[in-house]
Short mmCIF file of all heavy atoms in Angstrom, two decimals:
data_model
loop_
_atom_site.label_atom_id
_atom_site.label_comp_id
_atom_site.label_asym_id
_atom_site.label_seq_id
_atom_site.Cartn_x
_atom_site.Cartn_y
_atom_site.Cartn_z
N ASP A 61 59.17 -23.90 17.04
CA ASP A 61 57.90 -23.19 17.29
C ASP A 61 57.49 -22.43 16.00
O ASP A 61 58.10 -21.42 15.59
CB ASP A 61 58.15 -22.20 18.45
CG ASP A 61 56.81 -21.62 18.96
OD1 ASP A 61 55.84 -21.63 18.20
OD2 ASP A 61 56.78 -21.16 20.11
N THR A 62 56.48 -22.95 15.40
CA THR A 62 56.05 -22.38 14.14
C THR A 62 55.00 -21.26 14.27
O THR A 62 54.42 -20.82 13.27
CB THR A 62 55.45 -23.52 13.23
OG1 THR A 62 54.48 -24.22 14.03
CG2 THR A 62 56.50 -24.44 12.76
N HIS A 63 54.74 -20.84 15.49
CA HIS A 63 53.79 -19.72 15.67
C HIS A 63 54.28 -18.68 16.67
O HIS A 63 54.03 -18.71 17.81
CB HIS A 63 52.50 -20.37 16.20
CG HIS A 63 51.31 -19.40 15.99
ND1 HIS A 63 50.00 -19.82 15.80
CD2 HIS A 63 51.24 -18.05 16.02
CE1 HIS A 63 49.20 -18.78 15.69
NE2 HIS A 63 49.93 -17.69 15.81
N VAL A 64 55.04 -17.73 16.04
CA VAL A 64 55.65 -16.67 16.87
C VAL A 64 55.46 -15.33 16.20
O VAL A 64 55.70 -15.20 14.96
CB VAL A 64 57.15 -16.91 17.07
CG1 VAL A 64 57.80 -15.82 17.90
CG2 VAL A 64 57.41 -18.29 17.72
N HIS A 65 54.97 -14.33 16.96
CA HIS A 65 54.85 -13.02 16.41
C HIS A 65 56.03 -12.13 16.90
O HIS A 65 56.07 -11.80 18.05
CB HIS A 65 53.53 -12.37 16.81
CG HIS A 65 52.31 -13.04 16.34
ND1 HIS A 65 51.70 -12.62 15.17
CD2 HIS A 65 51.64 -14.09 16.76
CE1 HIS A 65 50.61 -13.41 14.97
NE2 HIS A 65 50.56 -14.36 15.91
N ILE A 66 56.92 -11.80 15.98
CA ILE A 66 58.02 -10.91 16.31
C ILE A 66 57.68 -9.61 15.57
O ILE A 66 57.56 -9.61 14.37
CB ILE A 66 59.39 -11.45 15.85
CG1 ILE A 66 59.62 -12.77 16.60
CG2 ILE A 66 60.53 -10.45 16.10
CD1 ILE A 66 60.91 -13.50 16.19
N ASN A 67 57.46 -8.56 16.27
CA ASN A 67 56.79 -7.39 15.72
C ASN A 67 57.75 -6.36 15.09
O ASN A 67 57.34 -5.24 14.85
CB ASN A 67 55.89 -6.79 16.78
CG ASN A 67 54.98 -7.85 17.42
OD1 ASN A 67 54.31 -8.59 16.71
ND2 ASN A 67 55.06 -7.99 18.71
N GLU A 68 58.94 -6.76 14.92
CA GLU A 68 59.97 -5.91 14.31
C GLU A 68 60.08 -6.15 12.79
O GLU A 68 60.08 -7.34 12.37
CB GLU A 68 61.36 -6.26 14.95
CG GLU A 68 62.49 -5.38 14.49
CD GLU A 68 63.79 -5.70 15.25
OE1 GLU A 68 63.78 -6.57 16.12
OE2 GLU A 68 64.76 -5.04 14.97
N PRO A 69 60.14 -5.11 11.99
CA PRO A 69 60.09 -3.72 12.34
C PRO A 69 58.64 -3.26 12.47
O PRO A 69 57.76 -3.94 12.12
CB PRO A 69 60.78 -3.05 11.15
CG PRO A 69 60.46 -3.91 9.98
CD PRO A 69 60.40 -5.32 10.53
N GLY A 70 58.54 -1.98 12.91
CA GLY A 70 57.18 -1.38 12.92
C GLY A 70 56.57 -1.34 14.32
O GLY A 70 56.03 -0.30 14.68
N ARG A 71 56.60 -2.47 15.02
CA ARG A 71 56.10 -2.42 16.43
C ARG A 71 57.14 -3.09 17.32
O ARG A 71 56.83 -3.92 18.12
CB ARG A 71 54.74 -3.14 16.48
CG ARG A 71 53.59 -2.46 15.80
CD ARG A 71 52.21 -3.06 16.17
NE ARG A 71 51.15 -2.33 15.51
CZ ARG A 71 50.59 -2.76 14.31
NH1 ARG A 71 51.07 -3.85 13.73
NH2 ARG A 71 49.60 -2.10 13.76
N THR A 72 58.39 -2.69 17.11
CA THR A 72 59.47 -3.27 17.80
C THR A 72 59.36 -3.07 19.31
O THR A 72 59.90 -3.83 20.08
CB THR A 72 60.80 -2.68 17.25
OG1 THR A 72 60.80 -2.82 15.83
CG2 THR A 72 62.05 -3.44 17.80
N GLU A 73 58.65 -2.03 19.69
CA GLU A 73 58.45 -1.86 21.16
C GLU A 73 57.59 -2.97 21.76
O GLU A 73 57.60 -3.19 22.96
CB GLU A 73 57.87 -0.42 21.46
CG GLU A 73 56.46 -0.21 21.01
CD GLU A 73 56.35 0.16 19.52
OE1 GLU A 73 57.29 -0.02 18.77
OE2 GLU A 73 55.21 0.61 19.13
N TRP A 74 56.87 -3.72 20.91
CA TRP A 74 56.09 -4.86 21.40
C TRP A 74 57.03 -6.10 21.57
O TRP A 74 56.93 -6.83 22.57
CB TRP A 74 54.97 -5.25 20.39
CG TRP A 74 53.87 -4.27 20.28
CD1 TRP A 74 53.87 -3.00 20.71
CD2 TRP A 74 52.61 -4.54 19.63
NE1 TRP A 74 52.66 -2.42 20.39
CE2 TRP A 74 51.88 -3.35 19.73
CE3 TRP A 74 52.01 -5.64 18.98
CZ2 TRP A 74 50.54 -3.22 19.21
CZ3 TRP A 74 50.76 -5.56 18.48
CH2 TRP A 74 50.01 -4.32 18.61
N GLU A 75 57.86 -6.35 20.52
CA GLU A 75 58.78 -7.48 20.57
C GLU A 75 59.77 -7.27 19.39
O GLU A 75 59.43 -6.71 18.39
CB GLU A 75 58.04 -8.77 20.40
CG GLU A 75 58.92 -10.04 20.52
CD GLU A 75 59.49 -10.29 21.90
OE1 GLU A 75 60.40 -9.46 22.30
OE2 GLU A 75 59.07 -11.25 22.57
N GLY A 76 61.03 -7.80 19.63
CA GLY A 76 61.99 -7.67 18.55
C GLY A 76 62.71 -9.01 18.37
O GLY A 76 62.56 -9.94 19.18
N PHE A 77 63.54 -9.11 17.31
CA PHE A 77 64.21 -10.36 17.04
C PHE A 77 65.21 -10.77 18.13
O PHE A 77 65.29 -11.91 18.53
CB PHE A 77 64.95 -10.30 15.71
CG PHE A 77 63.98 -10.38 14.54
CD1 PHE A 77 63.59 -9.26 13.85
CD2 PHE A 77 63.48 -11.66 14.15
CE1 PHE A 77 62.65 -9.38 12.79
CE2 PHE A 77 62.55 -11.75 13.14
CZ PHE A 77 62.19 -10.62 12.44
N ALA A 78 65.92 -9.76 18.68
CA ALA A 78 66.94 -10.08 19.72
C ALA A 78 66.27 -10.63 20.97
O ALA A 78 66.67 -11.69 21.51
CB ALA A 78 67.78 -8.86 20.05
N THR A 79 65.26 -9.93 21.44
CA THR A 79 64.61 -10.35 22.72
C THR A 79 63.82 -11.65 22.53
O THR A 79 63.84 -12.52 23.40
CB THR A 79 63.69 -9.26 23.22
OG1 THR A 79 62.91 -8.69 22.17
CG2 THR A 79 64.50 -8.16 23.88
N ALA A 80 63.08 -11.79 21.40
CA ALA A 80 62.30 -12.98 21.17
C ALA A 80 63.16 -14.20 21.10
O ALA A 80 62.86 -15.28 21.65
CB ALA A 80 61.42 -12.85 19.96
N THR A 81 64.25 -14.06 20.37
CA THR A 81 65.10 -15.26 20.14
C THR A 81 65.90 -15.60 21.41
O THR A 81 66.24 -16.75 21.68
CB THR A 81 66.07 -15.13 18.95
OG1 THR A 81 66.94 -14.01 19.07
CG2 THR A 81 65.27 -15.02 17.65
N ARG A 82 66.16 -14.59 22.25
CA ARG A 82 66.79 -14.87 23.56
C ARG A 82 65.82 -15.69 24.46
O ARG A 82 66.21 -16.64 25.12
CB ARG A 82 67.20 -13.55 24.27
CG ARG A 82 67.98 -13.75 25.56
CD ARG A 82 68.40 -12.36 26.13
NE ARG A 82 69.09 -11.56 25.13
CZ ARG A 82 70.38 -11.68 24.89
NH1 ARG A 82 71.15 -12.53 25.57
NH2 ARG A 82 70.93 -10.95 23.93
N ALA A 83 64.57 -15.21 24.45
CA ALA A 83 63.55 -15.99 25.22
C ALA A 83 63.39 -17.44 24.64
O ALA A 83 63.29 -18.40 25.41
CB ALA A 83 62.20 -15.28 25.17
#
Side-chain angles (χ1 to χ4, degrees):
D61 192 337
T62 50
H63 196 150
V64 180
H65 295 265
I66 299 176
N67 309 306
E68 183 176 2
R71 292 193 180 94
T72 308
E73 67 279 14
W74 292 15
E75 185 65 292
F77 285 102
T79 45
T81 59
R82 186 177 306 276

